[in-house]
Amino acid sequence: MVFFNGSSYRPFLLSGFPGLEDSHPVISILFCVLYLIALMGNVTILVVIKVERPLHTPMYFFLSMLAASDLGICATTLPTLLKLFWFNVREIDFDACLIQMFFIHVFSLMESGILLTMAFDRYVAISNPLRYTTVLTDSTIVKIGVGLLLRAVAAIFPGPFLIKRLRFCKANVLSHSYCLHPDIIKLSCSDHRINSIYGLIIILITFSVDSVLILLSYLKILITVLGIASREEQFKALNTCVSHICAVLLVYVPMLGVSIIHRFGKHVPSMVHIVMGYIYLLIPPVLNPVVYCVKTREIRTRILGNLLKL
């Protein structure tokens, strides 16, 4: 068996939908529509929040961070996907694949951390509204954003170097039209237990901790809301959390599905892996702006008002 180290390994081959190569141009129309919705939706949210001064509050600053991370995921995955589906360009250089993998996982980690801060934002707004603006000042929000970025970069930074130490055999076909850490290490012919353990540790200390803290935040919110006498005020308080709860589900449910399938779904049909991979990366950027525009009256009103002026 022929082995290659990271520096001499030939390019990886990206995959679309095996057996449906002739239909890739048609399938690309669906992806183009989804990416267009994601790009337009998230850019609209960023522009509206920047232009409308009444929206310069912690809740909307965190929402703009979420939109920015969604745009980052789109920008990272779109080039290779379009090259594959439009021009049948499957090759991606080894180092380019590692760079793409790095940014995909960094933006995913950022998204998880932002959802946690948004849960904290809702907890402070509901449990202690009088101190809301003093707790979440502009400088505090900037520090939180920088902290989330540094956490994501520090967590993912060792990943490419750990992959570089692996040896690869001739198998070089990835499961998706972009590069993910579990997908790359599966192609290694050497012992990649350290990489698997590393990936599991990252999930446990980031996504798992974030999800537990989000649940605790909502438990505290629920306790606070149940202590409010008026049912109308209870409903009003909980209604401010609906958009965030939807965003959390849109991110964590596909993420959990992908993680389970990659680690325990060895006998699951390859098409399930492929579809789950696209759901994991595309559903949050596409649907998050839709959810916030539909469920958040302030954003919906500002967008409609600006459209009527045109």
Side-chain angles (χ1 to χ4, degrees):
M1 184 176 292
V2 180
F3 291 92
F4 302 87
N5 61 29
S7 60
S8 62
Y9 189 67
R10 56 183 177 157
F12 286 119
L13 295 180
L14 302 170
S15 296
F17 291 91
L20 299 175
E21 285 81 5
D22 293 339
S23 302
H24 277 178
V26 177
I27 296 173
S28 71
I29 296 174
L30 172 62
F31 284 110
C32 287
V33 171
L34 292 175
Y35 272 106
L36 188 61
I37 293 172
L39 293 172
M40 290 182 62
N42 287 292
V43 168
T44 299
I45 285 178
L46 287 173
V47 171
V48 169
I49 292 174
K50 178 178 176 57
V51 171
E52 300 291 341
R53 292 198 62 83
L55 299 183
H56 291 184
T57 63
M59 173 183 172
Y60 294 106
F61 285 144
F62 290 132
L63 177 56
S64 64
M65 291 182 194
L66 185 66
S69 67
D70 283 339
L71 285 174
I73 291 175
C74 291
T76 305
T77 57
L78 183 60
T80 53
L81 185 144
L82 291 183
K83 284 199 300 182
L84 174 64
F85 283 92
W86 282 1
F87 308 109
N88 197 32
V89 177
R90 299 185 62 193
E91 289 190 356
I92 181 170
D93 184 73
F94 184 87
D95 290 327
C97 188
L98 294 186
I99 292 171
Q100 185 186 49
M101 177 206 78
F102 174 82
F103 282 106
I104 288 175
H105 290 300
V106 163
F107 285 122
S108 296
L109 269 183
M110 281 285 293
E111 195 164 45
S112 176
I114 293 165
L115 290 173
L116 173 59
T117 59
M118 293 174 80
F120 175 70
D121 168 80
R122 290 299 82 207
Y123 168 67
V124 175
I126 291 172
S127 65
N128 203 341
L130 296 178
R131 295 190 58 200
Y132 180 60
T133 55
T134 58
V135 172
L136 292 171
T137 62
D138 290 348
S139 62
T140 300
I141 293 170
V142 171
K143 290 175 183 177
I144 290 174
V146 173
L148 292 176
L149 176 61
L150 292 176
R151 183 189 77 152
V153 171
I156 304 302
F157 188 75
F161 297 99
L162 289 175
I163 291 176
K164 284 274 193 177
R165 56 177 287 277
L166 298 177
R167 301 175 71 87
F168 293 86
C169 42
K170 285 188 175 180
N172 67 333
V173 180
L174 298 169
S175 304
H176 307 289
S177 58
Y178 46 81
C179 302
L180 295 176
H181 180 264
D183 203 20
I184 296 174
I185 64 174
K186 281 195 308 183
L187 299 178
S188 171
C189 290
S190 57
D191 187 357
H192 57 263
R193 282 179 296 180
I194 293 177
N195 298 73
S196 297
I197 293 171
Y198 159 76
L200 182 60
I201 289 174
I202 294 301
I203 290 175
L204 290 176
I205 65 176
T206 55
F207 296 114
S208 297
V209 171
D210 290 351
S211 60
V212 170
L213 292 177
I214 289 171
L215 285 174
L216 289 176
S217 296
Y218 273 101
L219 179 60
K220 297 283 286 183
I221 288 172
L222 187 60
I223 293 172
T224 302
V225 169
L226 291 177
I228 300 174
S230 169
R231 282 188 174 274
E232 183 178 348
E233 290 180 357
Q234 288 180 349
F235 176 78
K236 184 178 179 180
L238 289 176
N239 193 48
T240 63
C241 302
V242 172
S243 300
H244 179 255
I245 292 172
C246 291
V248 170
L249 293 176
L250 288 173
V251 169
Y252 279 97
V253 171
M255 187 184 298
L256 182 62
V258 168
S259 297
I260 291 174
I261 287 176
H262 268 297
R263 281 170 172 75
F264 308 110
K266 295 181 179 179
H267 303 294
V268 174
S270 61
M271 189 61 70
V272 176
H273 286 267
I274 294 168
V275 172
M276 284 300 298
Y278 286 119
I279 290 175
Y280 158 60
L281 282 185
L282 279 179
I283 291 301
V286 170
L287 293 185
N288 278 341
V290 176
V291 168
Y292 275 96
C293 289
V294 170
K295 295 299 297 180
T296 307
R297 182 176 58 83
E298 290 83 357
I299 291 181
R300 186 172 64 250
T301 302
R302 305 286 175 179
I303 292 175
L304 291 175
N306 289 325
L307 289 175
L308 291 174
K309 292 177 183 178
L310 296 177

PDB file of all heavy atoms in Angstrom, residues 27-55:
ATOM      1  N   ILE A  27     -29.416  20.195  -9.707  1.00  0.00           N
ATOM      2  CA  ILE A  27     -29.375  20.240  -8.241  1.00  0.00           C
ATOM      3  C   ILE A  27     -28.772  21.553  -7.770  1.00  0.00           C
ATOM      4  O   ILE A  27     -29.163  22.101  -6.731  1.00  0.00           O
ATOM      5  CB  ILE A  27     -28.568  19.038  -7.696  1.00  0.00           C
ATOM      6  CG1 ILE A  27     -29.273  17.717  -8.050  1.00  0.00           C
ATOM      7  CG2 ILE A  27     -28.388  19.146  -6.179  1.00  0.00           C
ATOM      8  CD1 ILE A  27     -28.467  16.481  -7.705  1.00  0.00           C
ATOM      9  N   SER A  28     -27.826  22.082  -8.559  1.00  0.00           N
ATOM     10  CA  SER A  28     -27.167  23.329  -8.162  1.00  0.00           C
ATOM     11  C   SER A  28     -28.152  24.489  -8.075  1.00  0.00           C
ATOM     12  O   SER A  28     -27.904  25.454  -7.345  1.00  0.00           O
ATOM     13  CB  SER A  28     -26.045  23.675  -9.144  1.00  0.00           C
ATOM     14  OG  SER A  28     -26.567  24.080 -10.399  1.00  0.00           O
ATOM     15  N   ILE A  29     -29.260  24.410  -8.821  1.00  0.00           N
ATOM     16  CA  ILE A  29     -30.263  25.480  -8.764  1.00  0.00           C
ATOM     17  C   ILE A  29     -30.828  25.592  -7.353  1.00  0.00           C
ATOM     18  O   ILE A  29     -30.996  26.690  -6.816  1.00  0.00           O
ATOM     19  CB  ILE A  29     -31.393  25.212  -9.780  1.00  0.00           C
ATOM     20  CG1 ILE A  29     -30.843  25.245 -11.206  1.00  0.00           C
ATOM     21  CG2 ILE A  29     -32.519  26.241  -9.615  1.00  0.00           C
ATOM     22  CD1 ILE A  29     -31.847  24.854 -12.262  1.00  0.00           C
ATOM     23  N   LEU A  30     -31.097  24.429  -6.729  1.00  0.00           N
ATOM     24  CA  LEU A  30     -31.599  24.416  -5.349  1.00  0.00           C
ATOM     25  C   LEU A  30     -30.588  25.044  -4.406  1.00  0.00           C
ATOM     26  O   LEU A  30     -30.946  25.885  -3.563  1.00  0.00           O
ATOM     27  CB  LEU A  30     -31.909  22.983  -4.915  1.00  0.00           C
ATOM     28  CG  LEU A  30     -32.261  22.786  -3.429  1.00  0.00           C
ATOM     29  CD1 LEU A  30     -33.518  23.557  -3.059  1.00  0.00           C
ATOM     30  CD2 LEU A  30     -32.415  21.308  -3.111  1.00  0.00           C
ATOM     31  N   PHE A  31     -29.310  24.667  -4.556  1.00  0.00           N
ATOM     32  CA  PHE A  31     -28.283  25.220  -3.680  1.00  0.00           C
ATOM     33  C   PHE A  31     -28.111  26.722  -3.905  1.00  0.00           C
ATOM     34  O   PHE A  31     -27.916  27.477  -2.949  1.00  0.00           O
ATOM     35  CB  PHE A  31     -26.947  24.491  -3.897  1.00  0.00           C
ATOM     36  CG  PHE A  31     -26.884  23.141  -3.270  1.00  0.00           C
ATOM     37  CD1 PHE A  31     -26.880  21.994  -4.041  1.00  0.00           C
ATOM     38  CD2 PHE A  31     -26.840  23.004  -1.891  1.00  0.00           C
ATOM     39  CE1 PHE A  31     -26.831  20.739  -3.460  1.00  0.00           C
ATOM     40  CE2 PHE A  31     -26.780  21.756  -1.290  1.00  0.00           C
ATOM     41  CZ  PHE A  31     -26.781  20.614  -2.083  1.00  0.00           C
ATOM     42  N   CYS A  32     -28.198  27.148  -5.161  1.00  0.00           N
ATOM     43  CA  CYS A  32     -28.073  28.583  -5.450  1.00  0.00           C
ATOM     44  C   CYS A  32     -29.205  29.365  -4.790  1.00  0.00           C
ATOM     45  O   CYS A  32     -28.969  30.454  -4.242  1.00  0.00           O
ATOM     46  CB  CYS A  32     -28.084  28.818  -6.956  1.00  0.00           C
ATOM     47  SG  CYS A  32     -26.564  28.310  -7.791  1.00  0.00           S
ATOM     48  N   VAL A  33     -30.408  28.819  -4.831  1.00  0.00           N
ATOM     49  CA  VAL A  33     -31.558  29.475  -4.194  1.00  0.00           C
ATOM     50  C   VAL A  33     -31.345  29.554  -2.683  1.00  0.00           C
ATOM     51  O   VAL A  33     -31.570  30.608  -2.063  1.00  0.00           O
ATOM     52  CB  VAL A  33     -32.862  28.719  -4.517  1.00  0.00           C
ATOM     53  CG1 VAL A  33     -34.018  29.264  -3.673  1.00  0.00           C
ATOM     54  CG2 VAL A  33     -33.200  28.843  -5.993  1.00  0.00           C
ATOM     55  N   LEU A  34     -30.875  28.455  -2.091  1.00  0.00           N
ATOM     56  CA  LEU A  34     -30.652  28.433  -0.643  1.00  0.00           C
ATOM     57  C   LEU A  34     -29.565  29.426  -0.237  1.00  0.00           C
ATOM     58  O   LEU A  34     -29.708  30.174   0.737  1.00  0.00           O
ATOM     59  CB  LEU A  34     -30.276  27.021  -0.191  1.00  0.00           C
ATOM     60  CG  LEU A  34     -31.373  25.961  -0.285  1.00  0.00           C
ATOM     61  CD1 LEU A  34     -30.840  24.583   0.075  1.00  0.00           C
ATOM     62  CD2 LEU A  34     -32.552  26.314   0.622  1.00  0.00           C
ATOM     63  N   TYR A  35     -28.451  29.425  -0.980  1.00  0.00           N
ATOM     64  CA  TYR A  35     -27.376  30.366  -0.668  1.00  0.00           C
ATOM     65  C   TYR A  35     -27.830  31.807  -0.871  1.00  0.00           C
ATOM     66  O   TYR A  35     -27.463  32.704  -0.094  1.00  0.00           O
ATOM     67  CB  TYR A  35     -26.149  30.076  -1.528  1.00  0.00           C
ATOM     68  CG  TYR A  35     -25.208  29.064  -0.925  1.00  0.00           C
ATOM     69  CD1 TYR A  35     -25.132  27.766  -1.421  1.00  0.00           C
ATOM     70  CD2 TYR A  35     -24.387  29.406   0.147  1.00  0.00           C
ATOM     71  CE1 TYR A  35     -24.262  26.828  -0.879  1.00  0.00           C
ATOM     72  CE2 TYR A  35     -23.509  28.484   0.703  1.00  0.00           C
ATOM     73  CZ  TYR A  35     -23.456  27.195   0.187  1.00  0.00           C
ATOM     74  OH  TYR A  35     -22.606  26.281   0.745  1.00  0.00           O
ATOM     75  N   LEU A  36     -28.623  32.046  -1.908  1.00  0.00           N
ATOM     76  CA  LEU A  36     -29.119  33.402  -2.165  1.00  0.00           C
ATOM     77  C   LEU A  36     -30.004  33.874  -1.015  1.00  0.00           C
ATOM     78  O   LEU A  36     -29.891  35.021  -0.556  1.00  0.00           O
ATOM     79  CB  LEU A  36     -29.890  33.431  -3.480  1.00  0.00           C
ATOM     80  CG  LEU A  36     -30.313  34.813  -3.991  1.00  0.00           C
ATOM     81  CD1 LEU A  36     -29.079  35.680  -4.246  1.00  0.00           C
ATOM     82  CD2 LEU A  36     -31.153  34.677  -5.254  1.00  0.00           C
ATOM     83  N   ILE A  37     -30.877  32.988  -0.530  1.00  0.00           N
ATOM     84  CA  ILE A  37     -31.735  33.326   0.612  1.00  0.00           C
ATOM     85  C   ILE A  37     -30.877  33.628   1.838  1.00  0.00           C
ATOM     86  O   ILE A  37     -31.114  34.605   2.560  1.00  0.00           O
ATOM     87  CB  ILE A  37     -32.720  32.179   0.912  1.00  0.00           C
ATOM     88  CG1 ILE A  37     -33.722  32.027  -0.232  1.00  0.00           C
ATOM     89  CG2 ILE A  37     -33.465  32.432   2.225  1.00  0.00           C
ATOM     90  CD1 ILE A  37     -34.596  30.787  -0.099  1.00  0.00           C
ATOM     91  N   ALA A  38     -29.860  32.773   2.065  1.00  0.00           N
ATOM     92  CA  ALA A  38     -28.988  32.955   3.234  1.00  0.00           C
ATOM     93  C   ALA A  38     -28.222  34.278   3.147  1.00  0.00           C
ATOM     94  O   ALA A  38     -28.155  35.031   4.125  1.00  0.00           O
ATOM     95  CB  ALA A  38     -28.018  31.787   3.346  1.00  0.00           C
ATOM     96  N   LEU A  39     -27.648  34.550   1.990  1.00  0.00           N
ATOM     97  CA  LEU A  39     -26.854  35.773   1.829  1.00  0.00           C
ATOM     98  C   LEU A  39     -27.727  37.018   1.946  1.00  0.00           C
ATOM     99  O   LEU A  39     -27.398  37.952   2.690  1.00  0.00           O
ATOM    100  CB  LEU A  39     -26.139  35.754   0.474  1.00  0.00           C
ATOM    101  CG  LEU A  39     -25.044  34.693   0.310  1.00  0.00           C
ATOM    102  CD1 LEU A  39     -24.558  34.649  -1.138  1.00  0.00           C
ATOM    103  CD2 LEU A  39     -23.873  34.945   1.244  1.00  0.00           C
ATOM    104  N   MET A  40     -28.856  37.030   1.242  1.00  0.00           N
ATOM    105  CA  MET A  40     -29.733  38.199   1.280  1.00  0.00           C
ATOM    106  C   MET A  40     -30.327  38.404   2.667  1.00  0.00           C
ATOM    107  O   MET A  40     -30.404  39.527   3.167  1.00  0.00           O
ATOM    108  CB  MET A  40     -30.849  38.043   0.242  1.00  0.00           C
ATOM    109  CG  MET A  40     -30.380  38.152  -1.197  1.00  0.00           C
ATOM    110  SD  MET A  40     -31.736  38.010  -2.376  1.00  0.00           S
ATOM    111  CE  MET A  40     -32.735  39.437  -1.924  1.00  0.00           C
ATOM    112  N   GLY A  41     -30.741  37.315   3.305  1.00  0.00           N
ATOM    113  CA  GLY A  41     -31.357  37.419   4.624  1.00  0.00           C
ATOM    114  C   GLY A  41     -30.397  37.946   5.671  1.00  0.00           C
ATOM    115  O   GLY A  41     -30.730  38.868   6.431  1.00  0.00           O
ATOM    116  N   ASN A  42     -29.197  37.379   5.712  1.00  0.00           N
ATOM    117  CA  ASN A  42     -28.231  37.797   6.730  1.00  0.00           C
ATOM    118  C   ASN A  42     -27.669  39.182   6.468  1.00  0.00           C
ATOM    119  O   ASN A  42     -27.443  39.955   7.400  1.00  0.00           O
ATOM    120  CB  ASN A  42     -27.101  36.764   6.820  1.00  0.00           C
ATOM    121  CG  ASN A  42     -27.540  35.476   7.497  1.00  0.00           C
ATOM    122  OD1 ASN A  42     -27.820  35.440   8.692  1.00  0.00           O
ATOM    123  ND2 ASN A  42     -27.631  34.398   6.722  1.00  0.00           N
ATOM    124  N   VAL A  43     -27.444  39.525   5.200  1.00  0.00           N
ATOM    125  CA  VAL A  43     -26.985  40.874   4.873  1.00  0.00           C
ATOM    126  C   VAL A  43     -28.063  41.895   5.231  1.00  0.00           C
ATOM    127  O   VAL A  43     -27.764  42.980   5.764  1.00  0.00           O
ATOM    128  CB  VAL A  43     -26.619  40.976   3.379  1.00  0.00           C
ATOM    129  CG1 VAL A  43     -26.433  42.436   2.963  1.00  0.00           C
ATOM    130  CG2 VAL A  43     -25.346  40.194   3.090  1.00  0.00           C
ATOM    131  N   THR A  44     -29.329  41.556   4.962  1.00  0.00           N
ATOM    132  CA  THR A  44     -30.432  42.456   5.309  1.00  0.00           C
ATOM    133  C   THR A  44     -30.473  42.727   6.805  1.00  0.00           C
ATOM    134  O   THR A  44     -30.637  43.882   7.238  1.00  0.00           O
ATOM    135  CB  THR A  44     -31.784  41.858   4.853  1.00  0.00           C
ATOM    136  OG1 THR A  44     -31.774  41.688   3.434  1.00  0.00           O
ATOM    137  CG2 THR A  44     -32.944  42.768   5.245  1.00  0.00           C
ATOM    138  N   ILE A  45     -30.310  41.681   7.602  1.00  0.00           N
ATOM    139  CA  ILE A  45     -30.314  41.854   9.055  1.00  0.00           C
ATOM    140  C   ILE A  45     -29.165  42.758   9.491  1.00  0.00           C
ATOM    141  O   ILE A  45     -29.346  43.675  10.306  1.00  0.00           O
ATOM    142  CB  ILE A  45     -30.229  40.481   9.758  1.00  0.00           C
ATOM    143  CG1 ILE A  45     -31.582  39.767   9.661  1.00  0.00           C
ATOM    144  CG2 ILE A  45     -29.824  40.635  11.225  1.00  0.00           C
ATOM    145  CD1 ILE A  45     -31.606  38.396  10.276  1.00  0.00           C
ATOM    146  N   LEU A  46     -27.974  42.545   8.940  1.00  0.00           N
ATOM    147  CA  LEU A  46     -26.816  43.372   9.306  1.00  0.00           C
ATOM    148  C   LEU A  46     -27.042  44.834   8.922  1.00  0.00           C
ATOM    149  O   LEU A  46     -26.751  45.740   9.715  1.00  0.00           O
ATOM    150  CB  LEU A  46     -25.558  42.837   8.618  1.00  0.00           C
ATOM    151  CG  LEU A  46     -24.974  41.536   9.169  1.00  0.00           C
ATOM    152  CD1 LEU A  46     -23.843  41.043   8.280  1.00  0.00           C
ATOM    153  CD2 LEU A  46     -24.479  41.719  10.592  1.00  0.00           C
ATOM    154  N   VAL A  47     -27.573  45.061   7.733  1.00  0.00           N
ATOM    155  CA  VAL A  47     -27.785  46.433   7.258  1.00  0.00           C
ATOM    156  C   VAL A  47     -28.855  47.136   8.092  1.00  0.00           C
ATOM    157  O   VAL A  47     -28.680  48.289   8.510  1.00  0.00           O
ATOM    158  CB  VAL A  47     -28.181  46.440   5.766  1.00  0.00           C
ATOM    159  CG1 VAL A  47     -28.621  47.834   5.327  1.00  0.00           C
ATOM    160  CG2 VAL A  47     -27.008  45.960   4.905  1.00  0.00           C
ATOM    161  N   VAL A  48     -29.965  46.436   8.353  1.00  0.00           N
ATOM    162  CA  VAL A  48     -31.059  47.035   9.120  1.00  0.00           C
ATOM    163  C   VAL A  48     -30.593  47.387  10.530  1.00  0.00           C
ATOM    164  O   VAL A  48     -30.882  48.480  11.044  1.00  0.00           O
ATOM    165  CB  VAL A  48     -32.276  46.089   9.170  1.00  0.00           C
ATOM    166  CG1 VAL A  48     -33.308  46.586  10.182  1.00  0.00           C
ATOM    167  CG2 VAL A  48     -32.912  45.981   7.796  1.00  0.00           C
ATOM    168  N   ILE A  49     -29.857  46.487  11.175  1.00  0.00           N
ATOM    169  CA  ILE A  49     -29.379  46.750  12.532  1.00  0.00           C
ATOM    170  C   ILE A  49     -28.377  47.906  12.535  1.00  0.00           C
ATOM    171  O   ILE A  49     -28.371  48.728  13.455  1.00  0.00           O
ATOM    172  CB  ILE A  49     -28.757  45.477  13.142  1.00  0.00           C
ATOM    173  CG1 ILE A  49     -29.845  44.427  13.388  1.00  0.00           C
ATOM    174  CG2 ILE A  49     -28.031  45.800  14.457  1.00  0.00           C
ATOM    175  CD1 ILE A  49     -29.327  43.089  13.860  1.00  0.00           C
ATOM    176  N   LYS A  50     -27.549  48.000  11.504  1.00  0.00           N
ATOM    177  CA  LYS A  50     -26.568  49.089  11.436  1.00  0.00           C
ATOM    178  C   LYS A  50     -27.246  50.432  11.196  1.00  0.00           C
ATOM    179  O   LYS A  50     -26.885  51.448  11.803  1.00  0.00           O
ATOM    180  CB  LYS A  50     -25.554  48.812  10.326  1.00  0.00           C
ATOM    181  CG  LYS A  50     -24.523  49.921  10.147  1.00  0.00           C
ATOM    182  CD  LYS A  50     -23.516  49.579   9.084  1.00  0.00           C
ATOM    183  CE  LYS A  50     -22.537  50.720   8.834  1.00  0.00           C
ATOM    184  NZ  LYS A  50     -21.809  51.156  10.025  1.00  0.00           N
ATOM    185  N   VAL A  51     -28.242  50.458  10.332  1.00  0.00           N
ATOM    186  CA  VAL A  51     -28.867  51.726   9.932  1.00  0.00           C
ATOM    187  C   VAL A  51     -29.849  52.235  10.974  1.00  0.00           C
ATOM    188  O   VAL A  51     -29.917  53.445  11.245  1.00  0.00           O
ATOM    189  CB  VAL A  51     -29.576  51.560   8.561  1.00  0.00           C
ATOM    190  CG1 VAL A  51     -30.421  52.787   8.229  1.00  0.00           C
ATOM    191  CG2 VAL A  51     -28.546  51.291   7.467  1.00  0.00           C
ATOM    192  N   GLU A  52     -30.619  51.336  11.583  1.00  0.00           N
ATOM    193  CA  GLU A  52     -31.678  51.745  12.509  1.00  0.00           C
ATOM    194  C   GLU A  52     -31.134  51.875  13.930  1.00  0.00           C
ATOM    195  O   GLU A  52     -30.857  50.877  14.596  1.00  0.00           O
ATOM    196  CB  GLU A  52     -32.819  50.730  12.476  1.00  0.00           C
ATOM    197  CG  GLU A  52     -33.468  50.551  11.106  1.00  0.00           C
ATOM    198  CD  GLU A  52     -34.245  51.782  10.683  1.00  0.00           C
ATOM    199  OE1 GLU A  52     -34.593  52.605  11.559  1.00  0.00           O
ATOM    200  OE2 GLU A  52     -34.508  51.934   9.466  1.00  0.00           O
ATOM    201  N   ARG A  53     -30.987  53.080  14.410  1.00  0.00           N
ATOM    202  CA  ARG A  53     -30.424  53.306  15.744  1.00  0.00           C
ATOM    203  C   ARG A  53     -31.264  52.703  16.875  1.00  0.00           C
ATOM    204  O   ARG A  53     -30.700  52.267  17.885  1.00  0.00           O
ATOM    205  CB  ARG A  53     -30.223  54.808  15.992  1.00  0.00           C
ATOM    206  CG  ARG A  53     -29.138  55.434  15.124  1.00  0.00           C
ATOM    207  CD  ARG A  53     -28.681  56.765  15.681  1.00  0.00           C
ATOM    208  NE  ARG A  53     -28.088  56.621  16.992  1.00  0.00           N
ATOM    209  CZ  ARG A  53     -26.836  56.268  17.227  1.00  0.00           C
ATOM    210  NH1 ARG A  53     -26.035  55.968  16.226  1.00  0.00           N
ATOM    211  NH2 ARG A  53     -26.385  56.189  18.463  1.00  0.00           N
ATOM    212  N   PRO A  54     -32.604  52.661  16.779  1.00  0.00           N
ATOM    213  CA  PRO A  54     -33.383  52.015  17.839  1.00  0.00           C
ATOM    214  C   PRO A  54     -33.028  50.534  18.044  1.00  0.00           C
ATOM    215  O   PRO A  54     -33.330  49.959  19.098  1.00  0.00           O
ATOM    216  CB  PRO A  54     -34.837  52.164  17.361  1.00  0.00           C
ATOM    217  CG  PRO A  54     -34.821  53.377  16.490  1.00  0.00           C
ATOM    218  CD  PRO A  54     -33.493  53.336  15.805  1.00  0.00           C
ATOM    219  N   LEU A  55     -32.397  49.927  17.036  1.00  0.00           N
ATOM    220  CA  LEU A  55     -32.002  48.520  17.150  1.00  0.00           C
ATOM    221  C   LEU A  55     -30.587  48.351  17.698  1.00  0.00           C
ATOM    222  O   LEU A  55     -30.084  47.232  17.750  1.00  0.00           O
ATOM    223  CB  LEU A  55     -32.101  47.834  15.780  1.00  0.00           C
ATOM    224  CG  LEU A  55     -33.490  47.809  15.131  1.00  0.00           C
ATOM    225  CD1 LEU A  55     -33.447  47.036  13.820  1.00  0.00           C
ATOM    226  CD2 LEU A  55     -34.525  47.200  16.066  1.00  0.00           C
TER     227      LEU A  55
END
